[in-house]
Amino acid sequence: MKNTTENTHFCKLCGLACCSKQKLLAHLLVHSNKQNSLCDECGKIFTKRSSLVQHYRIHTNERPYACEVCSKAFASRSELNVHIRAHTKEKPYVCEVCSKRFSQIANLKTHFLIHTKEKPFVCEVCSKGFRQKNHLKKHFLIHTKEKPFVCEVCGKTFSRNDNLKSHFLSHSEVKQYACEVCSKTFARAGELKSHLLTHSKEKPHACEVCNKTFARPSHLKSHLLTHSKEKPFGCLVCSKQFSERANLRRHLRIHTKEKPYVCEVCSKAFSDHKNLKTHFRIHTKEKPYACEVCSKQFSERANLRRHLRIHTKEKPYVCEVCSKAFSHNDSLKTHFRSHTKEKPYVCEVCSKAFSDPRNLKMHFRIHTKEKRYACEVCSKAFTLKITLKRHLLIHTKEKPYVCEVCGKAFSHNDSLKTHFRSHTKEKPYVCEVCSKAFSDHSNLKTHFRIHTKEKCYACEVCSKAFTQKTTLRRHLRIHTKEKPYVCEVCGKAFSRNYSLKTHFRSHTKEKPYVCEVCSKAFSSPENLKTHFRIHTKEKPYACEVCSKAFTQKINLKRHLLIHTIEKPYVCEVCSKAFTQKNSLNSHFHAHTNVKSYTCDICSKAFALPTEFKAHLCTHTNEKSYVCEVCGRAFAKRANLRRHFLLHTRERPYVCKVCSKAFVENARLISHLRIHSKEKCYSCEICDKRFNKRNDVLKHLRVHSKEKPFRCDVCDKAFSDNSNLRKHLRIHTKEKPFNCDVCCKTFARKAYLKSHLFTHTNERPFNCKVCYKTFSRKSHLNNHLRIHSGEKRYSCEICDRRFIGRSDLLKHLLVHTNERPFNCEVCNKTFSRKACLENHLLTHSEEKRYSCEICNKRFNTRGDLLRHLRVHTKEKPFRCDVCGKAFSDNSSYKKHLRIHTKEKPFACDMCCKTFTRKDCLKRHLISHTNEKPSNSEV
């Protein structure tokens, strides 16, 4: 240590420089060997004998001078004189600058240095200056780490004597200073003095800048630093500056991890004594600070001060960037980090950073699983006290926050604030990435995770991650099967309160959400939002694999399973897996055979509500789903979706084996069984196996002869609904399938497909026996029966058998003599449509088909093919009995009757039969004696 004043006094004997004359005289005693002024105990030298005697009393603890007022004893008369001024309030020493008075001259000298800004005592280590020598000595102990004052009871060491004295009182437990108002006792007089000010409300120390008053001078001193912005106490570790030494000391414990204050009840340790005192009130339930407005009590004075700002609406802390005001300084600090993007508080476990230490504390409980706040009603535990408070409102049903506009009540103030923005349309929180605005900050935070792809909440059971904690909580109920929200009307339970509210509207028929475009009403805002995308054509959810977009997130999730081939929903009975949960639910009813939904009209029972709803439409003929393109209506939404793909030509489901595309996933699955040769559905009667379950059901009707689908026009019954639909087109004359080449229309898709081969001349179906080609598969199947000799269709009248069903139908007209096809030109009738079409060509005189060899022209293509055999001498139809060959099939058939003795043409008058139709016609002349008209052979 060194003094900044000049060393002007030198010893003439040894040349030692002394800072004062008194020190020089003391030094000269060393050379003069005067032992009578030397202390035997500590070796200190004095110039006067009286000074040595007075000093010696420090070692003997002798105090001969006693105060007559309070009996306090002192070692010297000068000390007694100074003490007496405490009773007489005498302050004879006055400051010339500020007129402040002092009882001791030394205090005046020290005070005067405030005006001169002089700090004569400088630390040799850090060059810090001090006004008093004892302050320098105390400061120097920081560098030396020396703690010379030791507690005799517990051995704890201290750097300052007053700290030791304060500590010693914790052992003695003697609190000799009692408050006369409330009888509270204190160990120190200073503590009692400070406490008395709480009763008197006296604040004698006023700030000259803002006139704010304080009870203690130390509080005023700390407050003045807020105006001067002075922070004289700096941390040597991180260089952070503080306005008060006590704050610096508390801060240093962050670096040293020192927590010297331990709770006697729960052994929790604290770095600050005030924090211990505050914590101890948790055990004692003591709340000494009461609000004068609402009588609410607090365990901390700071909490009371903050609370009072609720009543005064005072927000003294203003952000310099955005001018937002706050009632608490720490709220301002935390808010300011939203501008600086500073996150100084880092989790030691997962390294996640936070801008607020409270958020870090809350986050850390995720790792520790600590839930210290338990509900006294239902014993549910929470990590935060505020969460417990909110939870308690569920039990009390209390909603103290009421909207001034619509009168709606809320249990939380922040919920009211968010709701109020629905009236003001205010959305103050804007996303920096996409500029989307939100009325609630939490919604913005959740939305921002879409851009960052952050999912910080993970399920402990299945490891699925979520962007929101509430979503995780809802998800956990899938594992726990917890459904705490029960409908009071039907007893149905739900895992979410929101689901219960939406469900309840099915009883009340309430639909409060109305579309602004078409006025359609909905029971939930989600359904309205999804519906509105029909008008906006918005599809915000896009597949990352194939870029297909969807209006709903759930549709995207289902679609992604196509790419992943994932089937997460497994049946517990047969282990069959499904991509969708509702498919699993539908499948599960096959095991239970429970059909709880019964139709009131026809008493038919159904396992699923969707099937029941669809069935009701068959009675009401209600078709509420209308195609926007062609206006066609459907009873089911799924049918409309499938139909709409006809317009868009979209086939999103593609086979990976042959690249064939399908409109529906079910059709793709059925198609894949062609490659795998899998036939998982079998008939219980004949063991025939099928690819599709629907095919089994259709097949079973062959055995049961059941035909549940009946035509309303002609009462004809069908075993299959698709056959009924095709049949109805005969009455409606509907031909929905158009040829793109010639614009010809067809009632069935199969007819269109066959017709297209006439343009391409394609005949893709080959006979492996004779290599004949066909444009239709049905024609090939009929042809194959010629080789196999199979005649599966028999006439019920004459027992004659036929290869094809169409042949049987043509034959039946022989018995009925029915000719339903009439020529509009000459009124001639025909039994077959093909014969009528060929006949019409005779009226048009149009012969479209010409022979390339002789240029002869023909009405039909069949006539041309028969004619060409004249040039080629080809006779492809050979009799198996006699080997005779024929150029056309009709001649071959007529010849076969010679061998079979078949005479299919019978006379209605005499029952005589003939092998050929022309023979029958000639025979009829004998009965009528008339010349018959030319008719079709």
Side-chain angles (χ1 to χ4, degrees), residues 66-166:
C67 175
E68 295 177 355
V69 179
C70 63
S71 302
K72 192 174 181 179
F74 298 91
S76 66
R77 186 178 294 276
S78 60
E79 289 177 357
L80 174 61
N81 291 336
V82 171
H83 167 73
I84 285 171
R85 291 186 191 127
H87 298 297
T88 60
K89 307 294 183 183
E90 184 186 0
K91 293 182 179 180
Y93 305 101
V94 182
C95 174
E96 295 176 354
V97 179
C98 64
S99 303
K100 194 172 181 180
R101 304 181 74 87
F102 299 90
S103 59
Q104 296 182 57
I105 193 167
N107 292 347
L108 174 61
K109 285 180 179 178
T110 304
H111 165 77
F112 197 74
L113 294 172
I114 295 169
H115 299 298
T116 60
K117 308 291 184 183
E118 187 182 355
K119 292 181 180 180
F121 302 99
V122 180
C123 174
E124 294 177 348
V125 180
C126 63
S127 304
K128 193 171 182 180
F130 298 90
R131 297 188 187 97
Q132 291 178 268
K133 190 175 183 180
N134 63 334
H135 290 174
L136 175 60
K137 281 181 179 178
K138 289 171 186 174
H139 165 78
F140 200 72
L141 293 172
I142 295 170
H143 301 298
T144 60
K145 308 292 184 185
E146 186 182 352
K147 293 182 178 181
F149 302 99
V150 183
C151 175
E152 295 176 355
V153 179
C154 64
K156 193 171 182 181
T157 56
F158 299 90
S159 58
R160 292 170 63 178
N161 189 33
D162 53 349
N163 290 347
L164 173 61
K165 284 178 181 177
S166 300

Side-chain angles (χ1 to χ4, degrees), residues 469-487:
K469 196 174 184 178
T470 52
T471 313
L472 172 61
R473 277 202 296 268
R474 290 188 203 122
H475 166 79
L476 283 170
R477 291 186 187 127
I478 296 169
H479 302 298
T480 61
K481 310 291 184 185
E482 183 188 0
K483 292 184 177 181
Y485 305 99
V486 181
C487 176

Side-chain angles (χ1 to χ4, degrees), residues 278-317:
T278 305
H279 164 79
F280 199 73
R281 291 184 187 127
I282 295 169
H283 302 298
T284 60
K285 309 292 184 185
E286 183 188 0
K287 292 183 178 180
Y289 305 101
C291 174
E292 295 176 352
V293 180
C294 64
S295 303
K296 193 174 180 180
Q297 291 185 310
F298 300 89
S299 58
E300 292 185 69
R301 190 195 297 273
N303 291 345
L304 172 61
R305 279 202 297 268
R306 289 192 193 112
H307 167 78
L308 283 169
R309 292 188 188 124
I310 296 170
H311 301 298
T312 60
K313 308 292 184 185
E314 183 187 2
K315 292 184 177 180
Y317 304 99

Side-chain angles (χ1 to χ4, degrees), residues 643-652 661 663 738 740 752:
H643 165 79
F644 197 73
L645 294 171
L646 294 173
H647 298 298
T648 60
R649 307 282 184 182
E650 186 182 356
R651 291 171 176 252
V663 174
N738 303 321
D740 295 333
L752 170 62

Side-chain angles (χ1 to χ4, degrees), residues 800-853:
R800 188 177 172 192
R801 302 188 70 82
F802 298 91
I803 292 169
R805 187 170 177 269
S806 59
D807 295 333
L808 172 62
L809 294 172
K810 290 171 191 173
H811 165 77
L812 286 171
L813 295 173
V814 174
H815 297 295
T816 61
N817 287 321
E818 185 184 353
R819 292 172 175 263
F821 302 100
N822 184 37
C823 175
E824 294 177 353
V825 179
C826 63
N827 295 320
K828 192 174 181 180
T829 57
F830 299 88
S831 59
R832 293 165 60 190
K833 188 180 180 181
C835 295
L836 172 62
E837 286 175 350
N838 288 335
H839 166 77
L840 287 171
L841 293 171
T842 61
H843 293 298
S844 66
E845 296 183 358
E846 182 187 357
K847 295 183 177 181
R848 292 184 295 172
Y849 304 97
S850 65
C851 175
E852 294 178 353
I853 299 169

Side-chain angles (χ1 to χ4, degrees), residues 567 574 576-578 583 586-588 590-591 665-674 676-700 703:
K567 294 182 177 182
C574 64
K576 191 173 180 181
F578 299 89
S583 301
S586 302
H587 164 79
F588 196 74
H591 297 298
N665 189 33
R667 291 186 182 179
L668 171 62
I669 292 167
S670 299
H671 166 79
L672 286 169
R673 292 189 186 117
I674 297 168
S676 63
K677 307 293 182 185
E678 181 189 0
K679 292 185 177 181
C680 49
Y681 302 100
S682 64
C683 174
E684 294 175 354
I685 300 168
C686 63
D687 293 326
K688 191 172 182 180
R689 301 190 70 82
F690 299 89
N691 292 329
K692 304 177 192 175
R693 183 173 175 267
N694 200 30
D695 291 343
V696 182
L697 296 173
K698 290 175 186 174
H699 168 78
L700 283 169
H703 299 295

